Amino acid sequence: MVDTLIASQEKHRLIASDRVEGTKVYNRQGDKLGSIKNFMVGKVSGQAEYAVIEFGGILGIGNDYYPIPWDMLTYDEDKGGYLVDLTKDQLEKAPRHSSAFPEYDHNYGRTVFDYYGMAYPYPFI
Amino acid sequence: MVDTLIASQEKHRLIASDRVEGTKVYNRQGDKLGSIKNFMVGKVSGQAEYAVIEFGGILGIGNDYYPIPWDMLTYDEDKGGYLVDLTKDQLEKAPRHSSAFPEYDHNYGRTVFDYYGMAYPYPFI
């Protein structure tokens, strides 16, 4: 029943947070890049700012965690996963951390957005 | 280490999605109302629209799930939980569903916002 439920949710505008977690992430070449560990949300705004992607496999040295601006994710109904327009090479050089999450403050956020060539959109308040 | 990490995250602007899930919810009278099961997020917008609160205990008939507009939640650092300005009475009459989630479409959303006396803020697209 849960699977049926999830399948029906995927067709729709909203998705349950615990359904996002664990979802696989692919690139446009069809490579599986990893899966979503969790995502970072503004406590007040409720805005999901980063998906944190676990990319252990491709580096072969345990699990690393890559924050990706939420807007970079596209949900692919057919694949049942997220698409990100990045090559493995781009990811290997991307900002990442261990399972000990750093503080996701504005400076860290700016580092992430800079790497992906995007303007940092959140006011420094 | 995880607990230390979580403690440090709580001081900050962002919170991890899997940290929101399971967090206790209180009202202003200090009653524990339940805990957050998950939250419903716009796939494209990344906007958390509803927290889904599990309030089994107070009704005594298994678990019910209450969608609450995200803006109704306030995080209380001291309590380590969310505050919602609702009495138990108000909750017992609130829109709820079973563990089989309904479609969170605009009509359902409007029912929820109406109950809480709030304007429905999402465009019907």
Side-chain angles (χ1 to χ4, degrees):
Chain A
M1 194 176 70
V2 170
D3 282 347
T4 313
L5 167 65
I6 286 171
S8 82
Q9 285 180 349
E10 286 178 354
K11 290 184 209 129
H12 305 301
R13 195 174 62 90
L14 301 183
I15 189 166
S17 55
D18 50 357
R19 174 63 184 150
V20 177
E21 297 154 8
T23 300
K24 291 188 174 45
V25 180
Y26 302 89
N27 66 14
R28 299 206 180 274
Q29 291 74 45
D31 303 318
K32 184 192 157 195
L33 298 175
S35 60
I36 295 188
K37 168 66 175 170
N38 57 20
F39 52 102
M40 303 298 291
V41 186
K43 285 179 187 170
V44 175
S45 67
Q47 180 64 46
E49 299 187 1
Y50 307 91
V52 182
I53 304 184
E54 214 169 342
F55 281 124
I58 64 165
L59 298 176
I61 46 160
N63 287 346
D64 284 308
Y65 297 87
Y66 292 75
I68 308 279
W70 179 272
D71 285 353
M72 289 180 63
L73 297 175
T74 307
Y75 192 76
D76 184 316
E77 308 280 351
D78 293 332
K79 266 193 135 60
Y82 288 97
L83 288 184
V84 178
D85 196 9
L86 288 175
T87 65
K88 286 188 178 184
D89 269 3
Q90 285 174 299
L91 271 169
E92 285 181 12
K93 295 172 191 142
R96 62 178 179 273
H97 55 75
S98 71
S99 61
F101 278 43
E103 188 180 328
Y104 273 65
D105 59 12
H106 289 300
N107 285 328
Y108 188 68
R110 206 153 53 171
T111 304
V112 173
F113 275 77
D114 279 356
Y115 179 78
Y116 292 112
M118 300 166 71
Y120 185 72
Y122 304 109
F124 274 64
I125 48 167
Chain B
M1 192 177 70
V2 171
D3 283 348
T4 313
L5 167 65
I6 287 169
S8 82
Q9 285 181 347
E10 285 178 353
K11 291 182 209 129
H12 305 302
R13 194 173 63 89
L14 301 183
I15 190 166
S17 55
D18 50 358
R19 173 64 184 152
V20 176
E21 297 154 7
T23 300
K24 292 188 173 41
V25 180
Y26 302 89
N27 66 13
R28 300 205 178 274
Q29 291 74 45
D31 303 319
K32 185 193 156 192
L33 299 174
S35 60
I36 296 189
K37 168 67 175 169
N38 56 20
F39 52 102
M40 304 297 291
V41 186
K43 284 179 189 171
V44 174
S45 67
Q47 180 64 46
E49 299 188 2
Y50 307 91
V52 183
I53 304 182
E54 213 168 343
F55 281 124
I58 65 166
L59 298 176
I61 46 159
N63 287 347
D64 284 309
Y65 297 86
Y66 293 73
I68 309 278
W70 179 272
D71 285 353
M72 290 180 64
L73 297 176
T74 308
Y75 191 76
D76 184 317
E77 307 280 350
D78 293 333
K79 267 192 137 61
Y82 287 96
L83 288 183
V84 178
D85 197 9
L86 288 175
T87 65
K88 286 187 178 186
D89 270 4
Q90 285 174 299
L91 271 169
E92 285 181 12
K93 294 171 191 143
R96 62 178 178 275
H97 55 75
S98 71
S99 61
F101 277 44
E103 187 181 329
Y104 273 65
D105 59 13
H106 289 300
N107 285 329
Y108 188 69
R110 205 152 56 171
T111 304
V112 173
F113 276 77
D114 279 356
Y115 179 78
Y116 292 113
M118 297 165 73
Y120 185 72
Y122 304 109
F124 276 62
I125 48 168

